[in-house]
Amino acid sequence: MLTTSQSPVYVAHSLDEALTLRAAHPEAMPLAGGTDVMVFIEAGAIDPPGFIDLWAARDMAGVADADGGLWIGALTTYTDLERDDRVVKAAPALVEAARTVGAKQIQNRGTLGGNIANASPAGDTLPVLMALDAEVEVASKARGARRIPIDTLYTGYRKLAVAPDELITRVFLPTPHPADVQHFRKVGTRLAQAISKVVFGARVRLEGGKVTDARVAFGSVAATPVRCPKVEAALVGRAPDPAAAGHLLDDIAPIDDVRSTADYRRTVAVRTLRSFISSLA
Ligand SMILES: Cc1cc2nc3c(=O)[nH]c(=O)nc-3n(C[C@H](O)[C@H](O)[C@H](O)COP(=O)(O)OP(=O)(O)OC[C@H]3O[C@@H](n4cnc5c(N)ncnc54)[C@H](O)[C@@H]3O)c2cc1C
């Protein structure tokens, strides 16, 4: 155990150690890359009574090909994602998202598990993970591992269906269908170092000129990242029709905040979606 002037820092060197520490110190905050946590501490927004430092638990990082898809460890950084050929091939939209997070320093340190656990409605990987039907594996020392479809993970603003003794351990991405088209689009104030005003992930299966399956998800337009079932239903069973974008306003609930207005978000989200559907046609 290391100690800061204020709070103890428990260092985990493996997933097993991390789960043991989590069970022993459920009040301590997990610390992965620290790119969200450090900002919150600096801003005085949090003052946890302890930390569980995961960074040295290297068995929580990396990509494995198994079970009909890819397993991505929670500690895998954005740079790791960008450099892994299997991720580039199976999840190009996730790689696009990774490339837009912060800038190089953040991509070298920020982790996929941290983006998921931070549960910001503006988290850039989250709509893409929803579009790719990702499952998030969480585990505790007492009960072992369980898998949660990412579109049921968020239960409210910055709330996750993860118990206090659990950690996010890895993420499963099923192998994409050869006819799937993936898409990622982020709208922010700048091309780098910008938190999303609107962020969009999609996966559409095109067979014989028709959409046979669709996943559409947005971030920054509701209290949590959201799937868009009305749009998905309007797309499936016919040729790609940009008019389906008209259903988006039934699926999202943007607000005014420091980054943008609800009105801007509605307008940009619909245009972004319409432009993607037009590109399919
Ligand atoms: C300058 C800057 C720019 C940024 N730009 C972007 C951007 O463009 N897009 C974007 O989406 N984000 C951005 N971020 C936010 C941040 O970089 C990402 O959310 C990153 O993925 C967080 O990962 P981390 O490993 O640093 O998480 P940490 O800061 O270590 O942790 C974040 C949260 O997740 C919890 N946590 C971490 N790992 C686990 C785990 N395995 N199990 C359970 N809980 C866990 C922590 O307790 C904490 O609550 C930016 C941050 C900075 C400082």
Side-chain angles (χ1 to χ4, degrees):
M1 183 183 92
L2 303 174
T3 356
T4 65
S5 54
Q6 280 116 32
S7 306
V9 179
Y10 307 98
V11 180
H13 298 91
S14 65
L15 170 60
D16 189 53
E17 256 183 57
L19 294 178
T20 303
L21 288 168
R22 186 74 163 141
H25 307 283
E27 76 295 345
M29 178 177 244
L31 183 65
T35 62
D36 279 311
V37 169
M38 294 304 174
V39 173
F40 295 146
I41 293 173
E42 189 63 22
I46 58 169
D47 185 14
F51 296 94
I52 299 171
D53 183 356
L54 304 174
W55 192 255
R58 295 326 295 168
D59 56 347
M60 291 180 73
V63 178
D65 213 333
D67 307 326
L70 288 184
W71 282 103
I72 302 177
L75 275 194
T76 307
T77 65
Y78 297 106
T79 300
D80 295 335
L81 291 175
E82 291 165 39
R83 289 183 180 166
D84 191 294
D85 289 343
R86 292 160 299 178
V87 181
V88 171
K89 186 159 172 253
L94 181 61
V95 172
E96 278 301 304
R99 288 199 178 114
T100 73
V101 173
K104 278 294 165 206
Q105 300 92 324
I106 296 296
Q107 291 167 23
N108 286 339
R109 186 78 194 179
T111 65
L112 186 62
N115 203 231
I116 294 168
N118 190 49
S120 162
D124 280 326
T125 66
L126 310 178
V128 182
L129 292 173
M130 285 184 174
L132 300 184
D133 286 336
E135 288 179 278
V136 176
E137 185 190 78
V138 298
S140 71
K141 191 74 183 167
R143 299 179 305 285
R146 63 189 176 104
R147 286 159 73 157
I148 309 172
I150 192 158
D151 54 5
T152 62
L153 182 67
Y154 299 107
T155 56
Y157 178 67
R158 288 189 174 265
K159 290 207 176 84
L160 302 109
V162 177
D165 65 343
E166 287 177 323
L167 288 171
I168 293 175
T169 49
R170 50 187 187 157
V171 177
F172 180 70
L173 296 183
T175 302
H177 189 278
D180 282 354
V181 178
Q182 297 182 17
H183 187 72
F184 171 79
R185 181 75 207 276
K186 166 175 176 171
V187 179
T189 305
R190 298 169 296 274
L191 286 178
Q193 299 285 28
I195 301 297
S196 295
K197 296 175 187 223
V198 170
V199 55
F200 167 41
R203 178 179 61 77
V204 169
R205 190 165 303 162
L206 268 181
E207 292 173 301
K210 282 190 178 171
V211 176
T212 56
D213 194 22
R215 295 285 181 281
V216 172
F218 274 85
S220 283
V221 292
T224 66
V226 286
R227 277 268 302 270
C228 301
K230 299 263 173 26
V231 174
E232 292 172 1
L235 282 169
V236 172
R238 48 185 71 98
D241 180 1
H247 294 269
L248 184 61
L249 298 183
D250 296 328
D251 285 326
I252 64 175
I255 56 165
D256 294 340
D257 66 14
V258 286
R259 250 171 252 125
S260 190
T261 63
D263 201 33
Y264 177 86
R265 288 180 157 123
R266 273 191 291 268
T267 305
V268 167
V270 170
R271 284 189 188 164
T272 309
L273 177 59
R274 194 182 294 131
S275 148
F276 166 61
I277 302 170
S278 301
S279 75
L280 295 172

